[in-house]
Amino acid sequence: MSCGNARSPGSARVRSGQTPRFAAHARARPRVAARTGRARYHTPVCRDRVHGTARQGSRAKRKGSDLTDRLTGGDSSLLRRINAAVTLRSLRDGQAVTLTQLVGDTGLSRPTVEGVIEGLLESGLVAEVEHVQESGRQRGRPARWFRFRAEAGHVLGIEIGVHDLRVVLADLAGEVITSYAKPVDETTEAEERLTQVRTTVAEVLRKAGVSRDSLWEVAVGTPGIVDREGVVKLGTAMPGWTGLDLGARLRRSFRCPVVIENDANLAAIAEHWKGAAVGKGDVVFVMAGLSPGAGSLIGGRLHRGFGGAAGEIGALHLLGRQATPERLLSTTGQPLDPLDEAAVARVLRLAREGDQVAQIAMDRFLGRLVHDVTALVLALDPELVVVGGWAAGLDGVLEPLRDQLARYTLRAPEVALAALGTEVVAMGALRVALDHVEEQLFAVDPPTAGR
């Protein structure tokens, strides 16, 4: 016969990472033994379990302690961090919930949830809110309602492009507060470009009334091959970009972590988050331009390659293809010089106006783009190919791509235009910043040396 029911802590998944900012405050209150009240049947085992004197009660207590030790490595603070992460995850969607609902959602005991909530209230990540009682007579004490304070911190998504800078500011729930784009001359040197990034960020924060100290994470997108430390290993689109330690340079301007990623990779993440690739696991995003690049998701996870160079399909002409971009788009028989987007725009405008030579040049350019994408599709077999970048707006880019993929691949994927437009890279950066924040919020591992 059972003397009472113990509530299991539950088995919600938590992600390991850095110690969350609330960890020091997320102290669970010690459990207290429930009062037995007047019992109809009095058994020695039940009485001894309450007072802790019987051998059977002691064995049960040791057994439960051994199980907890196996789950937590004997670290009671780890159990508190797990409880805090599970509770915060239940509050994360932004809806106000009662303490009773949290107990049901998390599977934790009421005293444990109460202790966790007190710590989260103290940290500022959770707020207690007033709740209007529905019509009708209330019985007993009013319920306490709580919500996640998304405004407790902020994240930035930044795109450093050839022709513009774009900054998106959001709260911890990913709700965009404001965004801003600023044109930049393509010949701008690296030092001046970085200065403009800093001044643009400062202006965005000032207009939004957000303190720089409230930033939890900054993610930045840039053209080129970027390693895991944020160094641009190869970046020919902007002057002075190859070899630039972009991560180190930008980390000086922020008091929070800064992560650097390739622009096509971020675009793939953004379209998977809120664009044409929602719900798709294997996706290729093609950044169609003078030197096309691609970002790939495999099983919903970004594939960067060993050195961050995955998806650089614009380099395929180096493998023996005779035509370089400046020859593909030439209307004179000589390489297009200078090879910039202004010169390309003139060729495309002539093609739309009916110039036959320009139309042939445009067809050559589209043929090369289709060829490069087909090679990547053969290697990865994606479910969906999303086409973005300025060349995505060219007339007829999707149909030739669909036809070529149907002819030369073993299984033709779906093909769609990007849905997020010019903000796709900055939104992908925002998603990466949010992912890192969630690793902090739901972390259960203690900090390690050097982390």
Side-chain angles (χ1 to χ4, degrees):
M1 183 174 67
S2 175
C3 297
N5 296 322
R7 185 180 296 274
S8 168
S11 58
R13 292 184 179 178
V14 289
R15 296 169 64 180
S16 62
Q18 295 179 333
T19 299
R21 299 187 178 204
F22 62 84
H25 304 293
R27 299 183 294 270
R29 294 177 178 174
R31 293 185 179 182
V32 294
R35 296 179 180 178
T36 57
R38 180 177 296 178
R40 177 174 300 177
Y41 300 101
H42 299 278
T43 65
V45 174
C46 287
R47 286 199 304 273
D48 290 340
R49 283 185 63 183
V50 172
H51 297 287
T53 58
R55 291 181 180 178
Q56 184 171 345
S58 297
R59 285 197 300 269
K61 185 176 181 179
R62 285 197 302 271
K63 184 177 180 180
S65 177
D66 291 343
L67 177 60
T68 300
D69 287 347
R70 287 199 298 273
L71 291 173
T72 66
D75 181 6
S76 61
S77 65
L78 174 58
L79 184 58
R80 290 197 297 270
R81 290 195 298 272
I82 292 174
N83 292 340
V86 171
T87 303
L88 191 60
R89 189 178 290 276
S90 294
L91 287 162
R92 186 70 167 81
D93 64 2
Q95 299 295 321
V97 296
T98 66
L99 192 67
T100 300
Q101 287 174 319
L102 281 175
V103 169
D105 291 343
T106 62
L108 301 172
S109 70
R110 191 177 188 89
T112 298
V113 174
E114 286 177 340
V116 169
I117 284 293
E118 290 302 320
L120 294 175
L121 287 168
E122 185 178 348
S123 73
L125 284 172
V126 169
E128 187 169 4
V129 296
E130 295 289 338
H131 188 76
V132 179
Q133 179 68 30
E134 297 180 0
S135 59
R137 187 174 180 180
Q138 177 177 306
R139 297 180 180 178
R141 297 175 59 184
R144 297 177 67 190
W145 291 77
F146 304 94
R147 69 169 179 86
F148 175 68
R149 292 188 67 246
E151 68 273 20
H154 300 86
V155 293
L156 279 177
I158 302 173
E159 178 190 7
I160 305 177
V162 176
H163 296 284
D164 54 29
L165 305 173
R166 193 173 300 273
V167 177
V168 179
L169 175 68
D171 63 20
L172 296 183
E175 291 296 323
V176 174
I177 297 171
T178 186
S179 62
Y180 180 75
K182 177 182 179 180
V184 179
D185 190 280
E186 64 182 299
T187 62
T188 302
E189 293 292 333
E191 196 63 41
E192 174 60 23
R193 198 177 292 267
L194 291 177
T195 298
Q196 294 192 37
V197 170
R198 296 186 186 98
T199 56
T200 302
V201 168
E203 184 67 10
V204 167
L205 294 177
R206 185 188 66 80
K207 289 184 176 180
V210 170
S211 167
R212 189 178 291 262
D213 290 335
S214 77
L215 293 176
W216 280 39
E217 189 89 19
V218 175
V220 182
T222 177
I225 298 172
V226 183
D227 70 11
R228 295 184 184 278
E229 301 302 318
V231 178
V232 182
K233 293 298 186 180
L234 180 64
T236 59
M238 296 183 289
W241 220 243
T242 297
L244 178 67
D245 192 344
L246 186 58
R249 297 296 299 276
L250 290 180
R251 288 181 189 111
R252 301 173 190 171
S253 302
F254 299 97
R255 301 181 183 92
C256 64
V258 176
V259 61
I260 314 296
E261 187 53 87
N262 169 266
D263 55 357
N265 288 346
L266 293 178
I269 291 170
E271 291 290 334
H272 185 256
W273 179 31
K274 288 191 173 184
V278 172
K280 306 293 186 180
D282 297 283
V283 177
V284 167
F285 180 96
V286 179
M287 186 71 76
L290 290 178
S291 181
S296 303
L297 303 180
I298 300 176
R301 299 177 63 87
L302 178 66
H303 177 69
R304 303 184 76 257
F306 179 77
E312 292 296 329
I313 57 177
L316 282 174
H317 70 273
L318 300 175
L319 304 179
R321 297 283 297 187
Q322 71 279 13
T324 59
E326 51 266 43
R327 290 189 177 277
L328 287 172
L329 289 163
S330 172
T331 57
T332 63
Q334 299 297 319
L336 191 64
D337 187 25
L339 182 63
D340 56 23
E341 292 188 9
V344 174
R346 288 194 295 271
V347 174
L348 299 180
R349 185 183 68 252
L350 290 172
R352 286 193 296 269
E353 293 173 353
D355 185 295
Q356 291 186 351
V357 176
Q359 287 177 345
I360 293 173
M362 187 179 75
D363 290 342
R364 286 198 302 262
F365 176 76
L366 290 177
R368 168 57 59 81
L369 175 64
V370 168
H371 170 272
D372 293 347
V373 174
T374 301
L376 188 59
V377 168
L378 281 170
L380 296 181
D381 185 28
E383 180 181 2
L384 173 68
V385 173
V386 181
V387 184
W390 63 264
L394 301 181
D395 294 337
V397 67
L398 290 189
E399 286 309 313
L401 181 56
R402 290 190 180 102
D403 291 344
Q404 184 90 345
L405 293 176
R407 290 179 61 189
Y408 296 111
T409 61
L410 300 178
R411 189 202 60 80
E414 301 175 41
V415 179
L417 284 176
L420 297 180
T422 57
E423 291 196 339
V424 64
V425 174
M427 290 298 291
L430 188 68
R431 180 64 260 175
V432 167
L434 287 168
D435 287 343
H436 287 203
V437 165
E438 289 180 355
E439 288 178 1
Q440 296 181 54
L441 288 175
F442 305 135
V444 296
D445 287 346
T448 58
R451 179 174 286 182

